[in-house]
Amino acid sequence: MNTETVKIDENNIDSRIIEKAGGIIKKGGLVAFPTETVYGLGGDALNPDSSKKIYAAKGRPSDNPLIVHIYRLEDLYKIVEEVPEKAGKIMDAFWPGPLTLIFKKKDIVPKETTGGLDTVAVRFPIHPTAMAFIEAAGGFVAAPSANLSGRPSPTLAKYVCEDLNGRVDMIIDGGNIPIGLESTIVDMTSEIPQILRPGFVSKEMLEEVIGEVGVDPTLLDVNCKDRPKAPGMRYRHYAPKADMTIVRGEGERVVAKINELGQNNKGCTVLCVREHESMYPGLNLKVVGSEKDNEEIAANLYKVLRECDDENVSVILSESFSDKGIGSAVMNRLIKAAGHKIMDV
Ligand code: TXA
Ligand code: MG
């Protein structure tokens, strides 16, 4: 397949490109596009053949459901059976934005899109290019992150090209992605809504609006024997090629331990905060952001992991970062990338 790559400026959206991209989706094709979280790999959510194509292009197991993206609120009611009162409040507060909600689905949503489930995950993104594209595509775009299964989600179009060139009809290059980690997923089908994947919209932010919110127990305890409710959280995701270990603990001890490990492994790469940049003499470093700015760390994490792959890094030693606010999403992705290899000091 020949993949066309086009640039779009979100402040001056070229409607001819958007119409062309929308036409591809309506005919059953695939288009990668920017959102505020990560790049998505889009197909028509109401066409079972499009969903099958998405799984094939990503190399993703077909029991792992897709998120349906909409561009206006009224369309939600066409695809879900009921909208609980608490969901309405959360939508008022955070939609459009980096938050995915799970509802009971209507029959119009094919099982191919929901991986056989009776529920559907719905997201209403706020990125202007994404909104224009979803509208041109007919209103319902199924989109996982635009990476090959098992690789870090792409935050730049060049990473989408690396993974999906020749596998999709079009890639819309919207430049840099502001958030850099996938949306928060909240299951609204239980009385107490439950977070299935942490993201920019934190537990605290949700609780301010609706009171108690639960967290899928498998997110809190890696030894938990339950199956995660979001099927995608079962797989080893976000994995760089390198063997990666997180060193966790108080700052000075972390720096000392990484230096010690680094002496035996000069070829390793260290992921650290900017404030510690001068503390690893002789080691290869990648600064992920400032320890005072969790959002900067979130925005850079996947890029840094991809760079490690590009440079064929074989061992990564990472500092652990704050788990406050979006930090809980950062640490969730980091721990998965490390295949749960954590050294407490
Ligand atoms: O920020 C995002 O959410 C990005 C952008 C492109 O919007 N999309 C994204 O999609 O991260 P994906 O497919 O990489 O992750 C979707 C996650 C998977 O873990 C999947 O198992 C879960 O959502 N999911 C989807 N539908 C579900 C459902 N009905 N019940 C439980 N989990 C569901
Ligand atoms: Mg993904």
Side-chain angles (χ1 to χ4, degrees):
M1 182 191 291
N2 200 10
T3 302
E4 182 185 4
T5 302
V6 288
K7 277 199 168 45
I8 282 204
D9 174 0
E10 66 184 64
N11 299 311
N12 185 15
I13 292 177
D14 184 337
S15 57
R16 283 166 311 177
I17 295 175
I18 290 293
E19 284 311 316
K20 186 167 181 190
I24 291 172
I25 299 292
K26 285 179 175 163
K27 282 196 233 104
L30 302 181
V31 176
F33 63 101
T35 81
E36 70 275 23
T37 55
V38 296
Y39 277 86
L41 161 52
D44 181 352
L46 305 185
N47 177 348
D49 290 332
S50 296
S51 293
K52 285 187 198 156
K53 277 194 194 170
I54 292 176
Y55 288 111
K58 259 185 88 88
R60 170 171 177 152
S62 59
D63 63 349
N64 187 0
L66 307 173
I67 296 174
V68 178
H69 295 65
I70 57 176
Y71 76 97
R72 55 177 183 186
L73 198 54
E74 64 205 75
D75 287 341
L76 174 68
Y77 302 89
K78 297 182 188 155
I79 55 173
V80 310
E81 279 294 342
E82 56 177 329
V83 178
E85 196 189 326
K86 286 179 185 169
K89 289 186 180 160
I90 292 183
M91 283 149 44
D92 283 346
F94 302 109
W95 270 8
L99 174 70
T100 296
L101 300 177
I102 294 176
F103 301 95
K104 291 209 178 67
K105 79 172 190 70
K106 278 198 170 142
D107 290 342
I108 185 178
V109 184
K111 291 257 174 158
E112 283 78 0
T113 300
T114 63
L117 299 176
D118 296 327
T119 53
V120 60
V122 186
R123 178 153 123 71
F124 180 1
I126 197 167
H127 194 291
T129 306
M131 290 167 120
F133 163 64
I134 297 162
E135 180 174 12
F140 302 96
V141 172
S145 49
N147 51 286
L148 287 176
S149 198
R151 301 215 63 207
S153 299
T155 50
L156 287 170
K158 71 169 181 175
Y159 298 135
V160 181
C161 294
E162 243 174 63
D163 281 14
L164 297 180
N165 197 22
R167 293 173 170 258
V168 297
D169 299 284
M170 186 189 260
I171 296 172
I172 301 177
D173 178 351
N176 224 3
I177 294 292
I179 294 179
L181 291 181
E182 306 86 344
S183 61
T184 309
I185 302 180
V186 186
D187 182 357
M188 299 307 306
T189 64
S190 52
E191 178 47 32
I192 297 176
Q194 207 182 28
I195 296 177
L196 307 189
R197 179 174 75 181
F200 181 85
V201 178
S202 66
K203 182 171 190 283
E204 295 71 28
M205 287 158 78
L206 293 163
E207 288 189 329
E208 251 177 55
V209 179
I210 54 159
E212 186 182 358
V213 172
V215 176
D216 185 336
T218 61
L219 293 178
L220 302 172
D221 173 9
V222 294
N223 299 318
C224 182
K225 295 282 179 289
D226 297 348
R227 283 160 80 80
K229 290 223 185 65
M233 301 296 274
R234 275 179 220 147
Y235 302 100
R236 181 172 173 201
H237 246 189
Y238 326 115
K241 293 176 198 152
D243 175 45
M244 178 167 166
T245 304
I246 301 166
V247 181
R248 187 169 62 183
E250 182 273 321
E252 271 175 40
R253 280 209 297 274
V254 168
V255 171
K257 185 49 129 187
I258 290 180
N259 272 308
E260 182 193 319
L261 296 170
Q263 291 319 308
N264 305 323
N265 213 324
K266 288 274 193 222
C268 73
T269 290
V270 177
L271 309 191
C272 68
V273 292
R274 188 167 301 110
E275 288 80 356
H276 293 171
E277 208 176 350
S278 63
M279 299 180 187
Y280 297 103
L283 297 181
N284 304 316
L285 294 188
K286 289 204 182 286
V287 171
V288 188
S290 163
E291 65 183 356
K292 297 191 199 75
D293 189 349
N294 293 346
E295 291 182 15
E296 185 189 9
I297 295 177
N300 285 326
L301 181 66
Y302 285 148
K303 183 166 87 60
V304 164
L305 291 176
R306 287 230 174 213
E307 282 171 11
C308 289
D309 278 358
D310 293 345
E311 295 161 21
N312 286 315
V313 171
S314 58
V315 176
I316 299 174
L317 300 173
S318 180
E319 297 185 336
S320 57
F321 307 108
S322 156
D323 61 3
K324 297 281 172 296
I326 195 173
S328 81
V330 169
M331 286 310 295
N332 169 262
R333 307 311 194 269
L334 193 69
I335 289 170
K336 277 173 157 273
H340 296 282
K341 269 176 70 179
I342 303 174
M343 190 180 281
D344 283 306
V345 292

